[in-house]
């Protein structure tokens, strides 16, 4: 566990933990890890306008196969951080390595190649309103496989929907779906492209506890079945607990605390505790 | 005051930037034929009843209103020609464009605005689909092509409305009416009136797309996008109309 300090914060740094990190040798760890890391964010600065500085030197990495949960107050820049990974937000400064390529330095074609390996689940599923669930899945899939709709593709769509438990709603429009079903449909639309990295923006927000648990289970099963690495932004502790290998908490545009769920849950720091109450 | 002027100029600059992007995309990106045809259907076919009803009423009303003036000069036989001229040169294009600003431009503004707010545009972008090409280019093209077609149809319907209006107080047959109409119309009346409608269509599509595509975050911005689309599009239609009249005047008056 690691609780870092910044100017405004009153966070206490446990001295032992600091030492152990230094002992690792920073240079070595970067070189050795970068091959394994799916995502490597270094010194990321993002601001909107002159006044709204959102991220102020964020450092974050994600190992292959890992499932990282990001906590943080609303407005702390969690969404901004993952949006910058797919080129939706342009950072002021910093390195954003995804699959070993710096997304800031890529042209649109290069960026799109990376995007196709990433699945981004938006807060509300972001289904296309004017299309049925089937068309939503077909729309993205057909474009990237450059094929026409066929029986085979229909079966593939059905199979993907089955894997998220939504085969019955295949011909419904998004407006006819419940919140949980929208998330499932959004997930299916992503999974049909077989992503290697999943980014979830508050996957259980706005859902009842039972549906939340189902979605959390789904996230875990996707991780296992599709062999993905994931970053999960959430406020839902049950979801964090069941999905996380590692948890980071954002504070004032950088990482305020980091550790396993259990470590952070037992941490005595008042600010960290406030997330677990 | 200076601030608000700055704001307006800023917006105008952004719109021109947006239009520049449209012309860049249209040359480079692959054409989304299906979405284009779908938009033609929505913008053209679905607006026709409204355009036809307004056109018919305008034609009829104009005929009824013009008659007393003409008859006081004893020039009642000019009525069909006068009515048709006013309709085709000015009233039908402008009324149709305004109706479409209300229906099409605000519709596009609301649709794209809500797509923006609910992250659908972002979702397209992260799945490596070009949302500008798919959503904006198709809509601007469809309205640029469909508005002139609607205007031509409205011309026909409103001139027919004029026939009905003329017939309330006198008895002209359809053939007699239309032969008088055609007699009084010339090339200079029709062509400039049609040319300007392409600009109306372009403005209706691009203003709607601009307002929707650049909607800010939060649900209330959807309503705002739809609303500003109507306001800006209507105002632009009058400005274009003014310019078109001046230009046509320069070219066609000897
Ligand atoms: N596209 C944007 N334009 C302007 N400001 C933005 C934009 N996206 C995010 N912000 C600002 O960035 C801050 C962090 O937002 P966000 O990352 O969505 O927070 P959260 O941690 O709740 O996901 C907020 O203050 C928000 O106002
Ligand atoms: Mg967020």
């Amino acid at each position: 566990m690691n609780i870092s300090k910044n100017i405004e914060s009153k966070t206490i740094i446990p001295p032992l933990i600091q030492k152990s990190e230094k002992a690792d040798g920073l240079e070595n760890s970067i070189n050795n890890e970068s091959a394994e890391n799916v995502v490597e964010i270094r010194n990321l600065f993002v601001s909107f306008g002159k006044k709204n500085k959102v991220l102020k030197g964020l450092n974050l990495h994600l190992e292959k196969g890992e499932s990282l949960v990001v906590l943080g107050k609303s407005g702390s820049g969690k969404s901004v951080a993952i949006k910058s990974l797919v080129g939706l937000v342009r950072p002021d400064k910093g390195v954003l390595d995804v699959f070993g390529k710096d997304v800031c330095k890529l042209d649109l074609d290069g960026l799109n190649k990376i995007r196709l390996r990433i699945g981004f689940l938006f807060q509300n599923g972001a289904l296309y309103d004017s299309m049925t669930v089937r068309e939503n899945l077909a729309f993205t899939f057909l474009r990237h496989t450059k094929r026409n709709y066929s029986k085979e593709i229909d079966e593939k769509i059905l199979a993907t929907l089955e894997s998220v438990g939504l085969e019955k709603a295949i011909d419904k429009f998004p407006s006819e779906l419940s919140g949980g079903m929208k998330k499932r449909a959004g997930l299916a639309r992503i999974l049909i492209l077989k992503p290697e990295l999943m980014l979830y923006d508050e996957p259980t927000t706005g859902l009842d506890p039972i549906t939340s648990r189902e979605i959390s289970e789904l996230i875990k099963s996707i991780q296992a079945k599709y062999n993905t690495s994931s970053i999960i932004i959430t406020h839902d502790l049950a979801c964090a607990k069941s999905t996380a290998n590692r948890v980071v908490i954002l504070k004032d545009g950088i990482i305020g605390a980091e550790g396993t769920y259990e470590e952070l849950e037992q941490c005595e720091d008042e600010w960290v505790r406030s997330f677990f109450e | 005051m200076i601030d608000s002027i700055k704001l307006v100029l800023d917006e105008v600059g952004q719109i021109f930037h947006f239009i520049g992007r449209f012309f860049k995309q249209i040359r480079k990106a692959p054409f989304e034929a299906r979405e284009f045809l779908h938009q033609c259907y929505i913008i053209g076919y679905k607006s026709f009843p409204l355009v036809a009803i307004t056109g018919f009423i305008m034609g009829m009303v104009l005929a009824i209103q013009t008659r007393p003036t003409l008859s006081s000069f004893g020039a009642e036989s000019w009525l069909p020609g006068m009515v048709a001229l006013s309709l085709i040169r000015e009233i039908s294009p402008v009324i149709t464009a305004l109706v479409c600003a209300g229906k099409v431009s605000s519709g596009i503004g609301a649709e794209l605005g809500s797509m923006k707010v609910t992250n659908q545009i972002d979702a397209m972008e992260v799945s490596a689909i070009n949302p500008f090409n798919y959503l904006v280019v198709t809509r601007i093209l469809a309205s640029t092509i469909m508005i002139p077609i609607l205007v031509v149809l409205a011309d026909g319907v409103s001139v027919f409305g004029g026939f009905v209006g003329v017939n309330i107080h006198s008895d002209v047959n359809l053939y007699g009416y239309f032969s008088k109409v055609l007699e009084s119309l010339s090339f200079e009346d029709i062509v400039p009136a049609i040319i300007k409608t392409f600009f109306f269509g372009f403005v209706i599509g691009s203003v709607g797309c601009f307002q929707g595509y650049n909607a800010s975050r939060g649900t209330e911005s959807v309503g705002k996008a739809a609303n500003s689309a109507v306001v800006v599009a209507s105002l632009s239609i009058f400005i274009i109309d003014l310019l078109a009249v001046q230009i046509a005047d320069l070219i066609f008056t000897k």
Side-chain angles (χ1 to χ4, degrees):
Chain A
M1 183 176 58
N2 170 28
I3 301 178
S4 62
K5 185 178 183 179
N6 67 10
I7 307 143
E8 294 99 13
S9 76
K10 295 188 187 82
T11 311
I12 316 138
I13 314 159
L16 270 173
I17 291 160
Q18 274 231 317
K19 255 180 219 157
S20 76
E21 219 222 356
K22 272 181 196 151
D24 276 351
L26 213 68
E27 281 156 38
N28 276 343
S29 71
I30 285 175
N31 284 339
N32 294 341
E33 274 167 16
S34 56
E36 284 283 321
N37 284 350
V38 178
V39 173
E40 176 114 27
I41 298 177
R42 284 198 300 271
N43 207 24
L44 179 68
F45 285 81
V46 178
S47 59
F48 295 98
K50 281 200 183 97
K51 284 181 196 135
N52 194 357
K53 295 201 166 60
V54 181
L55 298 178
K56 304 170 201 165
L58 179 74
N59 288 296
L60 190 73
H61 70 274
L62 179 75
E63 286 165 26
K64 194 160 176 11
E66 195 184 20
S67 170
L68 173 72
V69 164
V70 181
L71 299 175
K73 278 196 305 200
S74 88
S76 59
K78 306 182 295 295
S79 302
V80 168
I82 59 170
K83 278 183 183 167
S84 60
L85 284 177
V86 287
L88 283 179
V89 169
R90 286 278 152 201
D92 304 337
K93 207 168 86 180
V95 177
L96 278 165
D97 275 346
V98 182
F99 304 119
K101 293 213 173 71
D102 189 345
V103 294
C104 304
K105 298 210 177 85
L106 292 171
D107 62 356
L108 188 62
D109 284 340
L111 183 60
N112 280 342
K113 283 208 185 84
I114 298 275
R115 281 168 167 171
L116 283 177
R117 298 168 68 186
I118 304 177
F120 195 122
L121 184 65
F122 286 91
Q123 232 147 334
N124 43 22
L127 295 172
Y128 306 129
D129 286 331
S130 57
M131 305 179 196
T132 63
V133 171
R134 184 201 304 270
E135 288 162 350
N136 260 282
L137 266 68
F139 182 70
T140 3
F141 185 68
L142 293 180
R143 255 149 217 281
H144 294 306
T145 47
K146 300 226 159 58
R147 283 195 285 180
N148 287 322
Y149 203 88
S150 65
K151 188 109 198 352
E152 186 195 341
I153 286 169
D154 204 50
E155 277 160 14
K156 198 173 164 71
I157 288 173
L158 198 65
T160 315
L161 283 173
E162 267 164 14
S163 72
V164 298
L166 203 69
E167 64 279 11
K168 289 211 182 74
I170 185 165
D171 284 317
K172 289 203 165 137
F173 280 95
S175 56
E176 301 168 292
L177 303 180
S178 69
M181 289 159 95
K182 279 184 192 163
K183 297 253 160 101
R184 286 171 196 271
L187 260 178
R189 189 177 70 188
I190 291 164
L191 291 175
I192 200 166
L193 295 174
K194 297 242 178 314
E196 298 157 55
L197 165 64
M198 293 292 290
L199 306 173
Y200 299 92
D201 197 348
E202 308 198 8
T204 61
T205 300
L207 303 179
D208 62 83
I210 296 169
T211 315
S212 295
R213 199 175 326 135
E214 286 168 6
I215 298 287
S216 305
E217 287 305 314
L218 194 57
I219 291 174
K220 262 167 71 179
S221 75
I222 286 167
Q223 180 96 357
K225 187 174 166 192
Y226 291 84
N227 206 2
T228 58
S229 322
S230 337
I231 298 179
I232 302 150
I233 291 176
T234 188
H235 295 291
D236 175 3
L237 290 180
C239 171
K241 187 169 183 172
S242 73
T243 53
N245 301 138
R246 183 159 62 95
V247 177
V248 299
I249 311 181
L250 284 198
K251 181 184 197 183
D252 298 319
I254 57 164
I255 286 176
E258 176 174 1
T260 63
Y261 185 87
E262 287 72 22
E263 280 172 342
L264 290 180
E265 195 183 23
Q266 278 148 30
C267 179
E268 305 210 328
D269 180 72
E270 206 176 299
W271 173 76
V272 174
R273 289 220 61 79
S274 70
F275 286 92
F276 290 88
E277 269 149 18
Chain B
M1 181 64 190
I2 290 183
D3 272 0
S4 62
I5 291 175
K6 241 173 149 178
L7 225 67
V8 169
L9 288 181
D10 196 43
E11 173 117 353
V12 171
Q14 280 180 34
I15 293 182
F16 276 103
H17 181 79
F18 190 79
I19 290 173
R21 200 169 155 196
F22 164 80
F23 283 111
K24 217 162 94 190
Q25 287 285 331
I26 205 173
R27 272 183 290 135
K28 275 195 339 204
F31 183 58
E32 299 278 355
R34 264 189 63 159
E35 177 67 8
F36 168 74
L37 290 177
H38 181 63
Q39 288 306 321
C40 285
Y41 170 76
I42 291 178
I43 293 170
Y45 186 78
K46 294 255 177 168
S47 309
F48 178 66
L50 188 64
V51 164
I53 291 170
T54 38
F56 182 82
I57 294 175
M58 286 316 294
M60 203 167 121
V61 167
L62 191 71
I64 296 170
Q65 301 256 28
T66 316
R67 172 194 298 281
T69 322
L70 285 184
S71 56
S72 69
F73 292 109
E76 235 174 280
S77 61
W78 287 5
L79 189 56
M82 277 272 319
V83 168
L85 259 182
S86 328
L87 285 173
I88 287 172
R89 288 187 76 140
E90 183 62 22
I91 295 177
S92 162
V94 172
I95 294 286
T96 304
L98 287 178
V99 165
C100 290
K103 188 171 187 300
V104 174
S105 208
S106 76
I108 294 175
E111 186 194 13
L112 296 195
S114 89
M115 289 189 77
K116 171 87 179 200
V117 169
T118 57
N119 291 323
Q120 292 172 53
I121 292 182
D122 284 345
M124 257 182 212
E125 197 150 355
V126 297
S127 52
I129 295 165
N130 181 340
F132 194 93
N133 190 40
Y134 183 77
L135 298 170
V136 175
V137 171
T138 52
R139 278 164 180 73
I140 295 182
L141 277 182
S143 83
T144 309
I145 291 169
M146 293 320 285
I147 301 300
I149 294 177
L150 284 172
V151 168
V152 170
L153 292 172
D155 283 349
V157 176
S158 64
V159 170
F160 179 73
F163 168 72
V164 175
V166 168
N167 252 323
I168 290 177
H169 286 290
S170 58
D171 197 17
V172 197
N173 66 22
L174 198 60
Y175 177 77
Y177 175 79
F178 272 101
S179 60
K180 273 198 179 146
V181 166
L182 291 178
E183 224 168 73
S184 60
L185 284 178
S186 61
F187 176 80
E188 288 99 279
D189 300 321
I190 297 173
V191 171
I194 299 292
I195 290 175
K196 73 181 174 190
T197 60
F198 285 96
F199 290 92
F200 290 166
F202 183 77
V203 157
I204 286 168
S206 50
V207 168
C209 287
F210 173 78
Q211 299 293 349
Y213 204 78
N214 291 308
S216 45
R217 300 154 11 115
T219 10
E220 74 284 354
S221 54
V222 178
K224 239 167 81 187
N227 190 271
S228 358
V230 180
V231 174
V232 177
S234 312
L235 194 63
S236 315
I237 285 165
F238 284 114
I239 295 172
I240 291 173
D241 195 43
L242 180 65
L243 292 176
V245 167
Q246 307 280 334
I247 293 169
D249 203 42
L250 276 181
I251 297 174
F252 290 104
T253 40
K254 285 129 207 163

